Amino acid sequence: MEFVFETNGLTKRFDEVTALDRVDLKIGRPSIVGLLGKNGSGKTTLINHLMGLQLPGEGSVTTLGRPSAELGHDELIHIGYVPQEIRLLDWMTVEQHLHYVSCFYPKWDREREKRLLDELELEASKPVGALSTGNLQKLAVILAVCHHPHLLVLDEPVSDLDPIVREKLLAFLLELLREDEATILVSSHVLRDVEKVVDWVVCLDEGRVVTDSALDELKERYSRWRVVSKNGDLPEIFSEPFVIGQEVSGREACLLVENGASQIDAFRSTYGAEIVERPLNLEEMFPVLVQKKSSC
Amino acid sequence: MILVVDPHSGIPVYRQIVEQIRFSVASGLLEPGEEIPSTRALSAKLGVNPMTVSKAFGLLEEDGVLERRPGRPHVVRRRRGKSIHATRLEQLEQALRPVATKTRQLDLEPDTAVQIFRRLLEDEER
């Protein structure tokens, strides 16, 4: 099996809304992939397709080597899934729920379960129905990882968790990657968290894949230039193709550039300007990645 | 070895690791023959993706700063005195580049800048 999941021309429409538009993705090897996009961009729909919970209108989805519509026992025992809307059995206690779910899997790591309950400070005897949203999220994660999945899919897993618990969870995802060589797909709005752990970034915009790159490559691709002219005013508008955002004021300008490294010397001499270059982090890059539109 | 990385800085984490290890070796904080933590240990300690650490180590190997040993953590490569000196000069030049830019932006003469720099170095000595 070459890829952990793969989509080819995946398209899904709901009446007039195109939720996914010819999505081509291939995710392989142990990796942590960040799935980003504005609300309504198709992230949850894509995840639902990977899990076989929704079926393609056009195109195909393959998860762990099988068409997602046909995922069976042999694949499901290797997948862990934390949905955005967590629905668990309210009337059970945390402990009972864990025990119940563990019966579905040939192997269940009780040590990991115990350690996570402890680290995430979740009381085993509490009824699931009485858990706060944050604690529900914690339980959902523990339920998804004790069988040592090869593929872990998390849809907004940290939105209700406090910073300390989020930190612990992210550290655990890295541990999963290291120890289990899992492939992890995490969709989250908390870009600062995503940035700490992912090595690959996929961005959706209106159902289309607009970014599909290594995080390092993105950081090297985009940067901000503070430009100061040594002789007189700068042009009102820079029309160079690598300038994707700009703010110009007299002798000064702030430019957002894409693949600007090879252009910087020529630019300096063309405009007789000093340039101070600053890289962008994921949060700063997000508007550019998602819409290729930007301001400084 | 103490490494500090900032995943939010916009500079890829692997590059931060490479630069800090290069600096540690150039300044003698890491000595030739000294062992570096394993990829696993370092990624756990820094809380970063192990692939990032792997990438950094790979580059440092290519540059001849670190040496790979099968089944064991990397070590700092023993290098000739001359190339350590060259590395130190490179490090200093890199650090001074933004200062040179600022000097030009402030429309100051190189000699003025050198005078200030010399005074700063002498102040430190005291």
Side-chain angles (χ1 to χ4, degrees), chain B residues 75-90:
Chain B
V75 285
V76 177
R77 224 168 131 234
R78 293 174 197 282
R79 295 158 92 188
R80 296 191 318 269
K82 190 180 175 191
S83 75
I84 293 184
H85 183 66
T87 310
R88 288 181 177 165
L89 293 179
E90 253 173 48

Side-chain angles (χ1 to χ4, degrees), chain A residues 29-32 174 177-179 192 195-199 216 219-220 228 274-276 279-281, chain B residues 6-15 39-40 43-44 47-52 55 101 104-105:
Chain A
R29 65 181 189 122
S31 177
I32 305 185
L174 289 174
L177 179 67
R178 276 195 315 271
E179 312 294 327
R192 284 181 71 84
E195 185 167 34
K196 284 163 89 156
V197 300
V198 304
D199 49 87
D216 286 343
K219 288 190 172 185
E220 279 162 346
V228 178
E274 288 296 342
I275 304 175
V276 176
L280 299 178
N281 67 24
Chain B
D6 179 8
H8 309 302
S9 90
I11 298 173
V13 173
Y14 82 86
R15 194 120 48 87
T39 306
R40 258 191 186 187
S43 72
V48 299
N49 198 302
M51 275 177 258
T52 299
K55 191 169 179 177
T101 304
R104 287 192 295 268
Q105 284 180 325

Side-chain angles (χ1 to χ4, degrees), chain A:
Chain A
M1 171 183 37
E2 217 193 324
F3 297 107
V4 170
F5 64 77
E6 188 179 344
T7 72
N8 283 298
L10 171 60
T11 302
K12 182 72 170 182
R13 291 187 193 92
F14 296 106
D15 294 329
E16 272 123 53
V17 177
T18 304
L20 295 173
D21 188 354
R22 289 160 293 166
V23 170
D24 288 320
L25 276 178
K26 289 176 167 51
I27 304 289
R29 65 181 189 122
S31 177
I32 305 185
V33 179
L35 180 60
L36 311 181
K38 297 186 296 192
N39 288 331
S41 56
K43 302 191 296 296
T44 297
T45 310
L46 177 62
I47 286 175
N48 287 344
H49 277 80
L50 292 170
M51 295 302 304
L53 297 170
Q54 279 177 315
L55 301 181
E58 288 162 44
S60 66
V61 184
T62 309
T63 306
L64 293 182
R66 276 207 112 181
S68 61
E70 292 167 27
L71 290 174
H73 175 84
D74 289 341
E75 291 79 39
L76 295 173
I77 55 173
H78 295 300
I79 301 177
Y81 172 48
V82 180
Q84 192 171 15
E85 294 202 16
I86 297 163
R87 288 197 187 93
L88 298 173
L89 299 167
D90 283 3
W91 48 271
M92 290 191 180
T93 62
V94 166
E95 192 165 28
Q96 286 168 342
H97 209 309
L98 283 162
H99 181 73
Y100 172 64
V101 169
S102 73
C103 298
F104 287 95
Y105 298 96
K107 283 187 295 186
W108 188 264
D109 188 343
R110 298 235 168 264
E111 284 300 317
R112 181 175 275 185
E113 178 190 299
K114 192 164 173 296
R115 180 164 64 93
L116 285 173
L117 281 171
D118 212 38
E119 266 177 34
L120 300 176
E121 295 172 22
L122 194 55
E123 266 178 66
S125 57
K126 242 195 158 158
V128 171
L131 293 178
S132 64
T133 10
N135 283 333
L136 271 176
Q137 273 184 334
K138 292 177 195 173
L139 177 55
V141 171
I142 302 176
L143 286 168
V145 300
C146 292
H147 57 288
H148 289 258
H150 293 167
L151 169 62
L152 176 64
V153 181
L154 305 135
D155 196 351
E156 298 283 351
V158 296
S159 49
D160 287 304
L161 301 176
D162 68 61
I164 295 175
V165 175
R166 285 216 306 266
E167 193 69 42
K168 290 185 181 171
L169 196 62
L170 293 171
F172 180 68
L173 291 184
L174 289 174
E175 185 186 311
L176 268 182
L177 179 67
R178 276 195 315 271
E179 312 294 327
D180 293 358
E181 297 199 341
T183 300
I184 302 170
L185 174 70
V186 55
S187 145
S188 174
H189 282 125
V190 191
L191 296 179
R192 284 181 71 84
D193 285 348
V194 166
E195 185 167 34
K196 284 163 89 156
V197 300
V198 304
D199 49 87
W200 199 269
V201 172
V202 172
C203 281
L204 294 182
D205 186 44
E206 293 180 353
R208 254 170 275 123
V209 175
V210 291
T211 301
D212 184 8
S213 298
L215 176 61
D216 286 343
E217 201 265 313
L218 291 173
K219 288 190 172 185
E220 279 162 346
R221 197 194 294 176
Y222 298 102
S223 62
R224 182 175 293 161
W225 289 359
R226 286 288 317 265
V227 182
V228 178
S229 159
K230 289 184 287 192
N231 1 280
D233 282 359
L234 291 166
E236 273 176 34
I237 298 188
F238 289 94
S239 52
E240 283 83 350
F242 57 87
V243 176
I244 57 176
Q246 55 187 284
E247 193 187 323
V248 186
S249 170
R251 281 178 60 216
E252 281 182 272
C254 177
L255 307 179
L256 226 73
V257 304
E258 181 175 359
N259 291 321
S262 55
Q263 313 287 349
I264 196 168
D265 289 334
F267 191 93
R268 233 181 230 128
S269 46
T270 304
Y271 295 102
E274 288 296 342
I275 304 175
V276 176
E277 209 181 345
R278 193 167 93 60
L280 299 178
N281 67 24
L282 192 56
E283 212 154 11
E284 291 164 327
M285 261 193 271
F286 184 68
V288 178
L289 298 180
V290 159
Q291 277 192 329
K292 296 272 182 187
K293 255 191 284 181
S294 53
S295 65
C296 268

Side-chain angles (χ1 to χ4, degrees), chain B residues 55-117:
Chain B
K55 191 169 179 177
F57 283 179
L59 284 169
L60 288 163
E61 252 178 85
E62 264 173 46
D63 279 351
V65 175
L66 295 183
E67 203 174 293
R68 175 190 289 271
R69 297 175 307 172
R72 299 178 68 198
H74 288 74
V75 285
V76 177
R77 224 168 131 234
R78 293 174 197 282
R79 295 158 92 188
R80 296 191 318 269
K82 190 180 175 191
S83 75
I84 293 184
H85 183 66
T87 310
R88 288 181 177 165
L89 293 179
E90 253 173 48
Q91 292 271 323
L92 183 60
E93 189 168 331
Q94 210 177 9
L96 287 174
R97 228 172 250 132
V99 175
T101 304
K102 197 131 226 180
T103 306
R104 287 192 295 268
Q105 284 180 325
L106 292 169
D107 217 9
L108 292 170
E109 290 298 322
D111 283 339
T112 313
V114 169
Q115 259 176 50
I116 297 176
F117 186 52

